[in-house]
Amino acid sequence: MSERASERRIPLSEFIRSLETIDLTDPAASSSGNSLTSALRLSCSLAHEICKVEEETGRSPTPRLDWIDNIAVYSQSNNNAKVNIFDTTLLPDEDDDICIELLPCLFDYTENEARHVDGIIYSLGIVFYGIFSGGERPAELELKQIDDINHGVENGTEELFEDFNPFQQGGSIDPAALSIHQNLLSDYNLSDDDSTSYDFTFQEGDGPRKKRTQNGNFNMCSVRVELLKERGIPRALCDLIANMLDCANGTLCKDEAYHDISEVRDDLQLMLDKPSIYLHDQDMGSLSTNGLKFGGAVFGRNAELSTIKDAYLRAVSGDSEVVTIYGQSGTGKSFLACEFTKYVIAGGGIIMSGKFDQLQQGKPLSALASAFNQYCGILLQSCELASLKEMLAGQLNAAMGREAFHLAKLIPNLAHILSLDMNIVIQDDGCANAQKRLQYLLCRFVEVISSIFAAPVTLFLDDLQWADSASIAAVNQLLLRGGVASQTTHFFFLGCYREGEVNNCNPLWKSLCNNSLVNARSTQVKLDNLAEETLSTMVSETLCLSPRLTRSLSSMIYHKTKGN
């Protein structure tokens, strides 16, 4: 017997009625959130199955209003245990899988060029309405059916009444009636092959209770989703179902209307993958006050970010590393570096950040002084690090002695850590090269803080195209394996510069970017403009709208900016 022979397969309508009704407005319904996710998974699986059938066979299901009764649901368990199809905890469980099967009666097996995709989308929308309403049928359809009956409208429906049973007629069996009954068995895959059969049996006195609606007179009516909104179904999901039901009426513009089931499937998958963006309702009060927030995620730069992280991990393992990010202005170099610094801080590393200014190119070490001073300011303000400040001061004094005064002139907050009186005039000991002395002291400072906090030190400097020679020389000294700090600490340097604006004639800059001159591994990361698809994703997630709805806006932005 095949694997599927032991599966319990039931109509989708019956399965839905077995699940807990979703009502997110009821505080007592604590499991409604899980039920919503389960229903969303079921809907996405259904849309995926329709797309799969269309791709593999070239056939599409016939538009009709009773799809929900002609779709089978069965379970597959990875643990080979008996699975209860009515277990409401089944869907969210990763070990079990709810599967969808479209019964053959949904396909007419004849090529019908007149079949409209709108009708198929509308039919699936009716199914989704039933899934999220707990099996309820739209009131508009019920009223339309009553109205059709009262007016004697011929709707192309063949009904087999509930008391019909070709095996209970007495005497001979009408071949026509038997033929109809056999067709029903075929529709439900009730054949001798257990691998494709439902676990249904017809008991004596029972007959098939199925109503078949042909495609010829398939009529659609307007359906409202107010019931779903009243139960707290997220607005995005209500809009998705409403668009499916309204697309056949021609009331939606081009961007809002669905043109294919694959678009429905993609939107449902986004709701499952990123519910905080595409499913759950947004805080409109916060949006109206604070506006849209940009820069919350990295788009199209994951590979580059991974490259920088890998280099950092090598530095943590003991190698000195230098990474430079370059590209045209506006490509997101600083933003990528900022995302990396979050990674460093989350991992317990030490980060010092500075930025060169075009107007301060004549002031040596300005960006380094700012980076080190800012870090010392954080140490002074942190209550959690209060117990380590005294140890830090002691080791810095032991490592630098009276020379600490000269470093404190460059880093004012260091004077507060060391309790130095900067008003006292200290006689210069006649150092022949004050720049080399500062390089030495910076290396000692990095060595001490890395030792005390047992963490790698990362120095990030932005806008290197405006860096002065003294700053580049100091970074080189930190990177050289023969330097004072590099022997006992793990140091990582990250820099950003604009492509085409660096003075390549500067020999110190060449040494920084050339691993043959600096005893450290050098990695260069180039950023180009964003691709159109990446920009589309960024606009979509920023606006919390499906890419289908933001496609026109994204296209306009891309053609204006070229991804920059």
Side-chain angles (χ1 to χ4, degrees):
M1 183 179 293
S2 67
E3 182 181 351
R4 284 177 52 185
S6 61
E7 296 162 356
R8 176 79 188 278
R9 299 160 69 213
I10 64 173
L12 176 60
S13 56
E14 186 176 350
F15 177 68
I16 292 172
R17 288 191 291 269
S18 72
L19 300 176
E20 179 181 349
T21 301
I22 304 173
D23 189 353
L24 300 178
T25 63
D26 184 5
S30 57
S31 61
S32 286
N34 292 333
S35 298
L36 175 64
T37 302
S38 299
L40 192 57
R41 290 182 188 274
L42 183 63
S43 302
C44 190
S45 297
L46 177 54
H48 174 75
E49 186 66 20
I50 294 175
C51 293
K52 179 181 176 182
V53 171
E54 290 180 343
E55 292 171 0
E56 293 180 353
T57 68
R59 294 194 182 99
S60 299
T62 306
R64 49 198 287 179
L65 301 179
D66 61 346
W67 275 20
I68 201 167
D69 295 317
N70 296 282
I71 297 171
V73 181
Y74 62 94
S75 64
Q76 287 182 329
S77 176
N78 295 331
N79 56 17
N80 295 323
K82 185 177 181 180
V83 179
N84 182 5
I85 193 69
F86 291 106
D87 184 359
T88 57
T89 65
L90 189 63
L91 284 172
D93 192 342
E94 295 181 358
D95 295 331
D96 297 307
D97 185 25
I98 290 294
C99 298
I100 299 293
E101 181 179 354
L102 306 177
L103 298 184
C105 60
L106 287 181
F107 302 86
D108 57 15
Y109 292 97
T110 59
E111 295 299 329
N112 184 359
E113 296 181 358
R115 178 180 300 154
H116 297 294
V117 175
D118 287 347
I120 298 174
I121 295 175
Y122 180 89
S123 300
L124 184 58
I126 295 296
V127 176
F128 287 172
Y129 185 99
I131 291 175
F132 291 98
S133 66
E136 294 191 27
R137 187 175 171 87
E140 293 86 350
L141 293 184
E142 298 292 346
L143 293 175
K144 181 180 183 300
Q145 184 177 11
I146 295 174
D147 184 66
D148 289 347
I149 294 175
N150 291 337
H151 291 81
V153 176
E154 175 63 36
N155 58 8
T157 300
E158 296 178 290
E159 295 189 10
L160 297 176
F161 298 98
E162 294 188 359
D163 58 353
F164 171 76
N165 189 330
F167 301 100
Q168 291 276 317
Q169 300 300 312
S172 61
I173 299 175
D174 183 359
L178 180 58
S179 176
I180 295 176
H181 185 64
Q182 289 174 339
N183 288 339
L184 281 173
L185 296 180
S186 175
D187 282 348
Y188 279 108
N189 287 339
L190 295 175
S191 64
D192 293 335
D193 181 5
D194 288 339
S195 66
T196 59
S197 65
Y198 275 109
D199 189 15
F200 286 164
T201 56
F202 289 97
Q203 302 297 332
E204 183 176 350
D206 292 337
R209 305 176 180 181
K210 182 173 180 296
K211 182 182 297 183
R212 300 184 62 185
T213 304
Q214 303 303 321
N215 185 39
N217 294 315
F218 174 72
N219 294 318
M220 295 170 283
C221 66
S222 178
V223 175
R224 297 168 60 85
V225 295
E226 297 305 319
L227 174 64
L228 303 183
K229 294 179 180 179
E230 291 172 0
R231 294 184 178 178
I233 303 298
R235 184 178 185 86
L237 193 51
C238 290
D239 289 344
L240 179 145
I241 298 174
N243 285 1
M244 295 177 69
L245 297 175
D246 290 344
C247 67
N249 300 330
T251 57
L252 298 177
C253 67
K254 180 179 178 181
D255 291 335
E256 292 179 335
Y258 284 106
H259 302 93
D260 193 81
I261 293 295
S262 62
E263 294 182 342
V264 178
R265 175 199 59 194
D266 294 345
D267 281 359
L268 291 172
Q269 192 62 54
L270 285 173
M271 292 180 185
L272 279 173
D273 295 341
K274 300 179 179 180
S276 61
I277 296 175
Y278 293 110
L279 176 61
H280 300 314
D281 295 339
Q282 303 300 314
D283 186 352
M284 301 307 296
S286 175
L287 286 175
S288 62
T289 303
N290 303 323
L292 293 173
K293 293 184 178 180
F294 296 87
V298 177
F299 296 98
R301 305 300 190 201
N302 291 323
E304 292 83 353
L305 183 58
S306 296
T307 298
I308 301 173
K309 290 179 179 179
D310 291 342
Y312 173 75
L313 293 177
R314 291 194 296 269
V316 172
S317 300
D319 298 331
S320 291
E321 292 272 345
V322 52
V323 174
T324 51
I325 307 173
Y326 69 99
Q328 297 295 326
S329 177
T331 53
K333 301 180 295 296
S334 300
F335 177 75
L336 180 61
C338 181
E339 287 299 312
F340 169 72
T341 60
K342 295 177 183 178
Y343 170 78
V344 172
I345 295 173
I350 297 172
I351 184 74
M352 293 182 285
S353 302
K355 182 180 178 71
F356 288 102
D357 192 327
Q358 186 176 15
L359 301 179
Q360 293 186 347
Q361 286 181 281
K363 186 178 180 181
L365 301 174
S366 60
L368 272 80
S370 174
F372 280 80
N373 191 57
Q374 183 182 31
Y375 177 73
C376 289
I378 294 174
L379 293 178
L380 288 171
Q381 297 174 5
S382 176
C383 298
E384 298 177 357
L385 301 177
S387 60
L388 296 177
K389 292 176 184 176
E390 185 176 347
M391 182 187 302
L392 176 62
Q395 292 199 21
L396 285 174
N397 281 319
M400 294 185 285
R402 293 179 55 195
E403 301 291 331
F405 177 83
H406 300 286
L407 187 61
K409 290 194 295 184
L410 183 69
I411 309 173
N413 282 327
L414 179 61
H416 298 291
I417 293 176
L418 301 178
S419 300
L420 296 178
D421 186 357
M422 301 304 295
N423 293 322
I424 298 178
V425 178
I426 296 181
Q427 293 290 336
D428 196 330
D429 56 4
C431 179
N433 195 327
Q435 179 176 318
K436 288 187 176 181
R437 176 172 61 187
L438 285 176
Q439 293 174 8
Y440 167 81
L441 294 175
L442 287 173
C443 290
R444 298 294 287 172
F445 178 83
V446 169
E447 180 185 23
V448 170
I449 62 174
S450 179
S451 174
I452 289 180
F453 296 107
V457 177
T458 297
L459 175 62
F460 165 57
L461 297 178
D462 202 359
D463 285 332
L464 286 175
Q465 70 273 8
W466 294 320
D468 57 278
S469 299
S471 296
I472 296 177
V475 172
N476 272 284
Q477 189 65 25
L478 288 169
L479 287 169
L480 284 171
R481 190 171 291 276
V484 177
S486 60
Q487 297 179 1
T488 56
T489 190
H490 301 152
F491 181 76
F492 179 75
F493 174 75
L494 176 65
C496 294
Y497 68 90
R498 293 181 185 176
E499 187 178 14
E501 296 187 27
V502 173
N503 182 11
N504 293 322
C505 297
N506 190 329
L508 293 174
W509 172 259
K510 286 184 177 181
S511 66
L512 181 61
C513 297
N514 191 336
N515 57 4
S516 64
L517 299 178
V518 178
N519 196 11
R521 181 167 178 171
S522 178
T523 302
Q524 292 190 323
V525 177
K526 182 179 180 180
L527 296 188
D528 294 315
N529 293 344
L530 292 178
E532 186 172 5
E533 187 64 27
T534 303
L535 180 62
S536 176
T537 301
M538 182 178 69
V539 174
S540 170
E541 294 194 10
T542 301
L543 298 178
C544 299
L545 293 173
S546 164
R548 176 180 59 88
L549 299 176
T550 62
R551 191 174 295 119
S552 296
L553 176 60
S554 300
S555 178
M556 184 185 304
I557 294 175
Y558 180 79
H559 286 92
K560 288 283 187 180
T561 64
K562 302 302 179 183
N564 188 317

